Amino acid sequence: MENIRENVKRLLSEIPSYVEVVAAAKGRTVDEIAQAIDAGITIIGHNYLQEALLSIAHIGHTARWHFIGHLQKNKVKHSVPNFDMIETVDSLELAQQIEKHASNHNKIMDIFIEINSGREQQKSGVFPENAYKLIEEIKDLPHLKIMGLMTMGKITDDLQEIRECFRETKMLFDEIKAKNIPGVEMKHLSMGMSDSYKIAIEQGANMIRIGTMIFGLRP
Ligand SMILES: *Cc1c(COP(=O)(O)O)cnc(C)c1O
């Protein structure tokens, strides 16, 4: 039995206070998620819509809910009213779908642009060099608000390669921020997981997504 409370306390005590933790809750029970919130977690991240909706129904908005998985277009309809943030927008089509449903709900949907910083062909996210074009295309959608960038980084054990992915994403974040694009707020930079959050913070992340280190190994 993992001690979720202790894990959360330890994690929160060792990171700078400006870094926000998204507890990545895929595969976790409502009870486990509630324990994490009780211990001080304020944001829950989820990859799977059905599972997330169940947890949200039980727990409600005592925490903020971030969608962090690959979002299929047919899942947008139910994601928009239930999530506070969609971290994984990587195409105009997806953005337009979100716009449509956010408009129906009279909601401004906060989103991050997902960056494929590892430049892995079959992975989700937009290549760094295409991020600016995507932002230009979607920045005027009235029910969407771009609030930052998210990246997974390369899936590898080579910490130097991971560091390079985070470094490049931070540079992109700073460049976009410096452009002061109306309606685009570069506030959050979401990168780093249990194995890489220290590198991510070193490279400028102010949001990290942590599953295993909080909840233990996935069942
Ligand atoms: C599962 C997941 C995480 C957390 O991974 P851990 O290695 O368990 O910390 C972070 N981001 C995304 C998108 C995930 O799916």
Side-chain angles (χ1 to χ4, degrees):
M1 178 66 191
E2 274 295 322
N3 197 329
I4 294 171
R5 167 172 290 275
E6 270 177 31
N7 293 346
V8 168
K9 298 272 178 209
R10 191 182 329 111
L11 177 64
L12 293 180
S13 73
E14 76 173 33
I15 59 174
S17 58
Y18 64 84
V19 176
E20 294 187 90
V21 177
V22 177
K26 56 179 174 282
R28 312 301 179 172
T29 64
V30 169
D31 183 54
E32 289 173 304
I33 297 171
Q35 282 183 48
I37 294 169
D38 201 46
I41 290 293
T42 59
I43 310 172
I44 305 297
H46 230 301
N47 301 61
Y48 307 118
L49 182 64
Q50 294 313 322
E51 217 185 294
L53 293 182
L54 202 75
S55 300
I56 294 171
H58 277 89
I59 292 170
H61 286 263
T62 51
R64 284 181 287 148
W65 297 84
H66 284 203
F67 193 87
I68 62 173
H70 177 66
L71 186 54
Q72 292 158 304
K73 290 182 191 71
N74 63 347
K75 301 279 172 70
V76 170
K77 182 179 177 183
H78 294 292
S79 300
V80 163
N82 285 290
F83 283 89
D84 301 289
M85 179 79 74
I86 295 175
E87 294 203 16
T88 49
V89 175
D90 63 356
S91 73
L92 175 60
E93 295 71 35
L94 180 56
Q96 285 169 331
Q97 200 69 15
I98 295 170
E99 166 64 28
K100 184 176 108 188
H101 291 288
S103 171
N104 288 344
H105 285 276
N106 245 327
K107 172 177 183 170
I108 306 284
M109 188 73 234
D110 287 345
I111 64 156
F112 295 164
I113 303 296
E114 182 179 358
I115 306 298
N116 183 349
S117 57
R119 290 191 174 73
E120 291 163 294
Q121 215 48 256
Q122 65 290 38
K123 280 252 294 280
S124 46
V126 62
F127 280 16
E129 56 272 28
N130 298 330
Y132 186 63
K133 178 167 170 282
L134 178 62
I135 289 172
E136 280 294 318
E137 285 171 343
I138 70 181
K139 70 178 171 49
D140 293 325
L141 295 174
H143 297 86
L144 229 94
K145 180 120 205 262
I146 302 171
M147 294 293 294
L149 303 182
M150 179 273 210
T151 198
M152 293 283 286
K154 210 172 223 172
I155 305 300
T156 167
D157 291 333
D158 185 337
L159 297 183
Q160 200 48 44
E161 276 193 74
I162 295 172
R163 179 175 281 110
E164 194 48 46
C165 288
F166 292 164
R167 200 181 67 83
E168 185 174 2
T169 308
K170 171 64 158 71
M171 278 173 51
L172 186 61
F173 179 83
D174 287 341
E175 275 169 33
I176 296 166
K177 191 175 189 166
K179 287 183 198 286
N180 279 316
I181 305 165
V184 177
E185 202 172 326
M186 277 292 119
K187 188 172 177 193
H188 303 289
L189 179 55
S190 172
M191 51 187 198
M193 319 198 293
S194 291
D195 291 337
S196 58
Y197 74 94
K198 287 182 183 162
I199 299 174
I201 293 171
E202 162 205 299
Q203 294 301 319
N206 58 18
M207 190 170 273
I208 57 178
R209 306 178 309 273
I210 306 292
T212 312
M213 236 191 97
I214 291 175
F215 298 109
L217 289 174
R218 270 181 285 282

